[in-house]
Amino acid sequence: MRADRLVSLVLLLRQRGRLSAATLARELEVSTRTVLRDIEALSAAGVPVYAERGRHGGFALLPGFQTELTGLNHDEALALLVAGSRRGAQAFGLGSALASAMLKVVDALPESSRDIAAGAIERLLIDPETDLLSRRLVADEVPERIVAEIRRAVLAGHRLRIRYAAVGRAPQWRTVDPIGLVTVREQGYLLATRSGADRTYRLSRVLAAEELAEAAQRPDRVDLDRAWQDRSTRFRTGGDQVLVLVRLDPRRREDLVGTALAVLAEEADADGWLRLEVTFQDRRHAEWALWQLGTNAEALAPQWLRGALRDRAAAIVTRYEVSPAGTVVADH
């Protein structure tokens, strides 16, 4: 861990010139005392780092110092920078490692291309935190120690013991055979088997994890994309799902499709609106999704859904009803 930090410290000084101890500490997420110890270690190892005193002082490398890193051309480094800008690394507890790796990628460029690559990456934004409607993309929060333990078991091929809080159930300890990790829309999942049966666990619901010494019972090779698709299909076609027939303003199609489990049929009405058959996870999911669309959608079936939406609308009207005298009628 310290060796990686020392390399990151050298790369920061190479790329950004003179930096204060406080700035280095902030970038490396350590204390200033740790930075000073690392500077001493680098000097003892022969790295030409020196201190400049004064108000604008700090630490710097002697001009011309070179690290021994494999070079990359401009497009190769840019491709890695773009891939590394995605936040999947956060879901797998690799955020710090990614930041260190990106420093090494930039440093590996020929000097003539370094500034070009830095400028290019400023022109590319991948997966911003909000969309055009300012809706924030909420990522799962998973303690790093937990996801690190899970990641080690997955990569080492060891069995895993997790304390999992399933929806509506008390947390329980379970021993599983991990297959792989998947991140989808800022949410991380563990694909595993338990007593031979396929299981999918959301990482944010894992309260504790322990890698076991026992080898996991799993095939040597796995098509993780295919495994995820198979489990997604089973999820969409199982449980207490409901089928809904809805008329929809085509401008809101993506909003509906983005919340439904699946679209089974779709056709255009004579007035330009769309008529779709979609499935939702359960009754509450269907009611919530149609309510978000307001007057841009009409649930045609089932009847219970039409009634539920009508009752909601009536409750809103009652809440905001105004008396003839112009005073608001309070509903106590």
Side-chain angles (χ1 to χ4, degrees), residues 108-165:
L109 280 172
E111 187 173 354
S112 59
S113 300
R114 198 172 298 142
D115 291 341
I116 297 175
I121 200 61
E122 289 178 357
R123 306 291 178 177
L124 306 173
L125 177 62
I126 312 297
D127 287 343
E129 291 187 356
T130 60
D131 63 14
L132 284 175
L133 298 178
S134 296
R135 295 174 297 193
R136 188 175 180 85
L137 302 178
V138 180
D140 277 347
E141 295 292 336
V142 186
E144 187 171 343
R145 68 183 185 280
I146 292 178
V147 72
E149 191 78 4
I150 295 173
R151 187 179 67 245
R152 283 193 292 267
V154 169
L155 298 181
H158 291 164
R159 302 193 83 186
L160 184 65
R161 189 167 176 258
I162 60 174
R163 187 167 184 259
Y164 191 73

Side-chain angles (χ1 to χ4, degrees), residues 133-215:
L133 298 178
S134 296
R135 295 174 297 193
R136 188 175 180 85
L137 302 178
V138 180
D140 277 347
E141 295 292 336
V142 186
E144 187 171 343
R145 68 183 185 280
I146 292 178
V147 72
E149 191 78 4
I150 295 173
R151 187 179 67 245
R152 283 193 292 267
V154 169
L155 298 181
H158 291 164
R159 302 193 83 186
L160 184 65
R161 189 167 176 258
I162 60 174
R163 187 167 184 259
Y164 191 73
V167 177
R169 300 180 184 177
Q172 292 183 343
W173 283 98
R174 306 165 185 196
T175 299
V176 303
D177 296 294
I179 294 175
L181 291 167
V182 176
T183 177
V184 181
R185 296 180 181 178
E186 306 303 314
Q187 297 172 354
Y189 297 89
L190 167 67
L191 272 59
T193 60
R194 185 179 174 212
S195 301
D198 288 344
R199 293 289 185 269
T200 303
Y201 301 101
R202 187 160 169 174
L203 293 183
S204 61
R205 294 176 183 153
V206 179
L207 305 181
E210 177 187 358
E211 178 188 6
L212 304 179
E214 183 182 356

Side-chain angles (χ1 to χ4, degrees), residues 71-92:
L72 299 172
N73 65 38
H74 171 266
D75 287 345
E76 290 170 339
L78 185 59
L80 288 175
L81 287 169
V82 170
S85 67
R86 301 183 69 87
R87 294 192 295 274
Q90 300 293 340
F92 296 151

